[in-house]
Amino acid sequence: MLPNKIINNSSGDANMACSQSENGFVSSFSLFPEKAVQELLQSPVQGSDDHLIEFSETLRTVAKALRRVAEGKASAQAEAAVWKHKYELERARHQQFENRGKSCPELQPDHDDMRTNNPINRHTLCNETKERSERCCSRNGICSHEVLRDGSPDSDSKMIRKASFKLSWCCKGDQSDQQKHDIVSFERGNITTAQRSSKQISLKWESSPQTVLILTKPNSVSVQILCAEMIRWLRQQKELHIYVEPRVRVELLVESSYFNFVETWKDDKEISALHTKVDLVITLGGDGTVLWAASMFKGPVPPVVPFSLGSLGFMTPFSELNHTSDSEHYKECLESILKGPISITLRHRLQCHVVRDAAKNEYETEEPILVLNEVTIDRGISSFLTNLECYCDNSFVTCVQGDGLILSTTSGSTAYSLAAGGSMVHPQVPGILFTPICPHSLSFRPLIMPEHVTLRVQVPFNSRSPAWASFDGKDRKQLEPGDALVCSMAPWPVPTACLVDSTNDFLRSIHEGLHWNLRKTQSFDGPRES
């Protein structure tokens, strides 16, 4: 409220002017005389600090509301563009079918015969048209007339009239039906799933592997000895080309000049083209070595054969090797893998983009980062709670207040996500784990999202501190208020070889690695029900 003396002065001033601006609004400064304004500025106002704090909070609320309006407008424009694109595709497809019908006279009915009154000609023409349509539809997949008959001999007169349909699965952004994959089939209108994720995946070599990349855990003498022995055997017995890291090649040449045939790379450009040269990747180490191997390939990944020579082995099913006692064990494993077929586990990866507040749109992002385990957004060294706004395909999910958030793959479900209270998930289950870290709410439980969604985690403008994002425990980036992290499923999984199959290896890893549900058996000589 204004001081009383200012109100009195303003009411008694005959020179007060109420000027009107060009757009029709009255200027707020013209309601007070200059003398009253000077007295207001010179006189101390009580509680000005509280007013300033309240005013700043109001400005923050207004900024947040404007930000949400801008995001809603951008989302509506993007949705409109998608629908416009779908309409144009459907229109082009319809036009293509019309042109195809004009160019194929055999599919056009003979109108002269249709106009005739001869019933025999009409019956013959109907049969020919039906046969032609069946031949045409069979080239484009399953058609309704193939599944809507009742199976009786006189099927022409007993046709079940149902609306035809087809359900398929496709990735977001597909522009042609050729990239779609059927996940359901139907017979007489009954839908049954195709069980695409419940079957074991087998890899069979169409041609023998020629080049092998070997990645090793550093600072381990036993791993260096085994690596040298494996390279010698692969070269002499299998006549394969061998790639190693520059560090490993230097170590091999220090040991002997025999290893001059071993190849390596010089810069990141050669690493980006490594998937075109390498047929198979062998890792000697633990899960960290598998993560390192996956991070080297920004696109397609060759099959990975992980040997357990580290402290953790959730992704390394091949048992630990000892170059003195089990020198023949790795040879048997590699013999079986090089011969094929082998069972593999397709381990999905997340593709992450950091969108800065200064970006003009969501396509103006930093270089994408691929993670095999998880991406973590935490509060870093700050003592304040992390404040994160989470969206799923432009739908608001929740606001995270706590130590942070974990977006994990199913392969990373036995890593940080499990320690934060998340569930263990089979690595071939397609999904994204949404796990909070020490949330400031007892009802905040973890979620599992489907694989096709896009998750957006944004630091709001009213956040007390920035957040920090780390990708598989590396490449830590700071997220200022207004910055966002966008995550979706990457199109290139990491295929890892299985010792038996994906389910057997997964269950064995949680039994041996986590001692899952391990307890003493209840004594049999206790009290019993009568």
Side-chain angles (χ1 to χ4, degrees):
M1 296 177 62
L2 295 176
N4 293 330
K5 63 179 182 178
I6 297 178
I7 298 177
N8 296 333
N9 291 336
S10 62
S11 61
D13 196 341
N15 297 325
M16 182 181 65
C18 295
S19 62
Q20 188 174 7
S21 61
E22 295 180 359
N23 55 6
F25 292 97
V26 179
S27 176
S28 60
F29 294 100
S30 63
L31 297 177
F32 305 99
E34 296 181 359
K35 184 177 179 180
V37 174
Q38 291 178 0
E39 291 181 4
L40 175 62
L41 295 176
Q42 293 176 359
S43 62
V45 181
Q46 297 179 357
S48 60
D49 293 340
D50 296 337
H51 292 166
L52 290 176
I53 293 174
E54 184 178 358
F55 182 67
S56 63
E57 292 294 336
T58 304
L59 287 181
R60 290 181 181 177
T61 304
V62 172
K64 185 177 179 180
L66 292 176
R67 179 75 178 186
R68 289 183 176 177
V69 170
E71 290 180 353
K73 180 179 179 182
S75 176
Q77 292 176 350
E79 185 176 0
V82 170
W83 281 108
K84 181 180 179 182
H85 182 63
K86 290 182 178 179
Y87 170 75
E88 292 176 352
L89 289 178
E90 189 66 25
R91 182 179 179 183
R93 188 181 297 110
H94 182 68
Q95 186 67 28
Q96 183 180 4
F97 283 142
E98 288 184 353
N99 295 336
R100 184 183 302 174
K102 294 179 181 179
S103 61
C104 294
E106 63 174 3
L107 298 180
Q108 300 292 334
D110 193 346
H111 297 283
D112 294 337
D113 290 341
M114 291 294 291
R115 286 193 297 265
T116 182
N117 295 325
N118 192 344
I120 300 178
N121 293 338
R122 287 201 302 268
H123 181 71
T124 305
L125 181 60
C126 291
N127 292 335
E128 292 178 355
T129 305
K130 181 183 68 175
E131 292 176 358
R132 291 168 185 171
S133 63
E134 290 180 355
R135 289 197 301 268
C136 177
C137 293
S138 63
R139 294 195 298 266
N140 298 324
I142 302 176
C143 293
S144 59
H145 63 77
E146 297 179 3
V147 296
L148 300 182
R149 292 173 180 164
D150 60 356
S152 61
D154 190 12
S155 59
D156 294 337
S157 59
K158 296 182 179 181
M159 185 76 71
I160 302 176
R161 299 298 180 183
K162 291 185 178 180
S164 61
F165 59 88
K166 185 174 183 180
L167 303 180
S168 61
W169 169 80
C170 63
C171 298
K172 185 178 181 180
D174 288 347
Q175 297 182 356
S176 65
D177 292 339
Q178 296 178 355
Q179 298 179 0
K180 297 183 179 180
H181 308 281
D182 294 338
I183 61 169
V184 296
S185 60
F186 61 94
E187 184 176 359
R188 302 182 186 282
N190 298 324
I191 302 176
T192 58
T193 61
Q195 302 178 353
R196 63 182 178 88
S197 62
S198 62
K199 297 181 180 179
Q200 303 293 340
I201 302 175
S202 179
L203 184 147
K204 184 178 181 180
W205 300 106
E206 295 183 355
S207 60
S208 300
Q210 300 295 326
T211 306
V212 175
L213 169 63
I214 300 179
L215 300 175
T216 64
K217 179 180 69 172
N219 305 323
S220 176
V221 178
S222 61
V223 171
Q224 293 178 8
I225 297 175
L226 179 61
C227 178
E229 182 180 345
M230 184 178 294
I231 291 175
R232 193 186 301 270
W233 179 78
L234 290 173
R235 181 66 174 183
Q236 295 178 355
Q237 300 297 325
K238 300 300 178 181
E239 299 181 353
L240 296 178
H241 300 284
I242 310 297
Y243 272 84
V244 296
E245 298 176 85
R247 167 187 57 84
V248 178
R249 190 175 190 277
V250 172
E251 295 173 354
L252 292 173
L253 292 178
V254 169
E255 179 182 344
S256 173
S257 60
Y258 166 79
F259 297 101
N260 277 325
F261 63 88
V262 177
E263 301 180 57
T264 186
W265 53 86
K266 297 180 181 179
D267 50 25
D268 295 339
K269 185 177 180 180
E270 294 185 8
I271 295 179
S272 62
L274 203 57
H275 69 278
T276 61
K277 304 176 182 178
V278 174
D279 300 319
L280 193 68
V281 180
I282 299 174
T283 62
L284 304 178
D287 289 347
T289 310
V290 179
L291 294 175
W292 169 245
S295 66
M296 291 181 59
F297 297 92
K298 307 303 181 183
V301 185
V304 180
V305 184
F307 286 98
S308 178
L309 288 163
S311 55
L312 289 176
F314 293 103
M315 293 187 289
T316 53
F318 294 92
S319 60
E320 184 175 354
L321 303 177
N322 188 305
H323 68 280
T324 57
S325 60
D326 295 333
S327 59
E328 301 296 328
H329 181 70
Y330 76 88
K331 298 179 182 179
E332 297 176 359
C333 294
L334 293 179
E335 283 275 7
S336 175
I337 290 171
L338 293 174
K339 183 180 179 181
I342 58 175
S343 295
I344 63 171
T345 300
L346 289 180
R347 301 185 180 274
H348 302 279
R349 292 190 291 179
L350 289 178
Q351 184 169 267
C352 308
H353 298 266
V354 176
V355 184
R356 299 297 179 183
D357 180 44
K360 298 179 181 179
N361 51 60
E362 291 199 358
Y363 300 101
E364 188 177 321
T365 64
E366 298 181 2
E367 183 180 359
I369 303 175
L370 297 176
V371 296
L372 181 56
N373 265 358
E374 75 278 316
V375 53
T376 305
I377 306 101
D378 56 57
R379 64 182 184 177
I381 61 175
S382 175
S383 59
F384 297 103
L385 293 177
T386 300
N387 189 8
L388 304 173
E389 294 180 350
C390 304
Y391 301 86
C392 177
D393 287 343
N394 296 325
S395 299
F396 179 73
V397 179
T398 187
C399 183
V400 178
Q401 296 185 79
D403 283 352
L405 176 68
I406 301 172
L407 300 179
S408 171
T409 64
T410 51
S411 294
S413 65
T414 53
Y416 196 0
S417 176
L418 179 63
S423 177
M424 293 185 293
V425 186
H426 193 288
Q428 282 193 185
V429 175
I432 304 175
L433 279 67
F434 187 91
T435 308
I437 307 174
C438 298
H440 206 253
S441 172
L442 295 178
S443 61
F444 196 170
R445 307 309 302 161
L447 297 175
I448 300 179
M449 299 291 189
E451 63 172 339
H452 59 80
V453 302
T454 298
L455 298 177
R456 177 188 175 93
V457 181
Q458 182 169 345
V459 182
F461 288 98
N462 61 351
S463 179
R464 295 186 178 184
S465 62
W468 292 84
S470 57
F471 309 88
D472 278 341
K474 300 178 297 183
D475 301 329
R476 200 162 174 82
K477 294 181 180 292
Q478 187 174 5
L479 301 178
E480 296 288 347
D483 296 345
L485 180 69
V486 180
C487 297
S488 59
M489 193 69 72
W492 307 285
V494 179
T496 58
C498 300
L499 183 62
V500 181
D501 55 58
S502 60
T503 301
N504 183 282
D505 291 355
F506 171 69
L507 295 176
R508 185 171 57 86
S509 67
I510 63 175
H511 282 126
E512 298 180 358
L514 295 176
H515 305 291
W516 179 61
N517 197 27
L518 182 63
R519 57 152 288 173
K520 295 179 64 177
T521 306
Q522 188 177 24
S523 176
F524 68 92
D525 55 357
R528 300 172 181 268
E529 293 184 357
S530 57

